[in-house]
Amino acid sequence: AGPVLQHCLSLLRGSTADESGLKVLDVAAGTGKLTELLAAVPWLDVHAAEPNPGMCTEFRDALPNVPLHQAPTQHLPFEDSNLHTVFVAQALHWFDTQESLAEMARVLRPGAPLILIWNMEDGRVPWVRQLRDLYEVYDTGIPQYRSGAWRDMFRSPLASQLFSPAGVHTTCALQQETQTGPGR
């Protein structure tokens, strides 16, 4: 596994004393790119949630042995305090609502981390910078990592009650470097 996944796994290990069969959820799992990496970790009990039927079809074709729940983040089919962590990889902008945050907090065990992951294009490369210049003007109000707008959804009174700054971890992959830390 790469450095981003290793960092995420270290966060998960640090949140519990028992590492056997930790139940984790990949929210907005899409076709299962992150889920596949998580499923290869023997001490994880991996589940996925994805609301889009087309994505669910692709997911099931790629990962038939991983439990997939066709569900939006506002209605996760898990009991209260049931999960050791929730992963959101490159998807927070699809459901940046207080209702989604409340639902993710509901299914997390007390003190369990919410782990947010983004992929970053390297703007130091000229053609990548030119491409970003074209589409970033349309990203206004979208909680992308690079703009920092994702932090706004955690500044509400409700989010402050649900998640402490130490309980939300973000990680960002940029080329071969990894930038990590709570609230980054």
Side-chain angles (χ1 to χ4, degrees):
V4 170
L5 182 58
Q6 288 300 326
H7 176 71
C8 293
L9 294 176
S10 72
L11 291 171
L12 186 52
R13 281 186 174 137
S15 71
T16 182
D18 180 17
E19 290 183 9
S20 60
L22 298 183
K23 193 171 185 178
V24 302
L25 176 65
D26 182 6
V27 170
T31 59
K33 289 181 176 153
L34 174 64
T35 315
E36 183 175 14
L37 297 173
L38 295 171
V41 178
W43 46 273
L44 294 180
D45 175 15
V46 180
H47 294 253
E50 169 57 48
N52 183 286
M55 292 288 200
C56 287
T57 299
E58 295 292 323
F59 183 102
R60 286 187 179 105
D61 288 345
L63 300 166
N65 296 322
V66 175
L68 173 65
H69 308 273
Q70 186 173 342
T73 57
Q74 299 89 343
H75 304 286
L76 297 172
F78 295 93
E79 295 176 13
D80 294 357
S81 304
N82 190 253
L83 302 171
H84 289 89
T85 197
V86 170
F87 289 91
V88 181
Q90 200 65 30
L92 190 66
H93 58 284
W94 290 114
F95 54 86
D96 62 325
T97 66
Q98 297 300 297
E99 187 180 6
S100 294
L101 285 180
E103 184 66 354
M104 289 185 284
R106 181 190 67 78
V107 299
L108 282 168
R109 291 174 177 230
L114 170 62
I115 299 177
L116 309 175
I117 302 171
W118 283 271
N119 298 315
M120 289 291 291
E121 307 87 4
D122 188 349
R124 299 172 295 186
V125 176
W127 74 266
V128 173
R129 179 73 259 157
Q130 291 171 352
L131 180 64
R132 285 178 63 176
D133 288 345
L134 290 173
Y135 69 78
E136 284 181 358
V137 297
Y138 300 103
D139 270 357
T140 58
I142 298 173
Q144 298 286 10
Y145 182 85
R146 69 180 158 270
S147 70
W150 66 271
R151 289 182 183 99
D152 293 343
M153 67 188 291
F154 290 94
R155 290 187 178 120
S156 74
L158 174 64
S160 298
Q161 291 173 7
L162 299 173
F163 295 99
S164 70
V168 178
H169 296 272
T170 66
T171 187
C172 171
L174 173 62
Q175 273 190 327
Q176 298 296 345
E177 301 173 31
T178 304
Q179 302 170 345
T180 60
R184 279 188 112 192

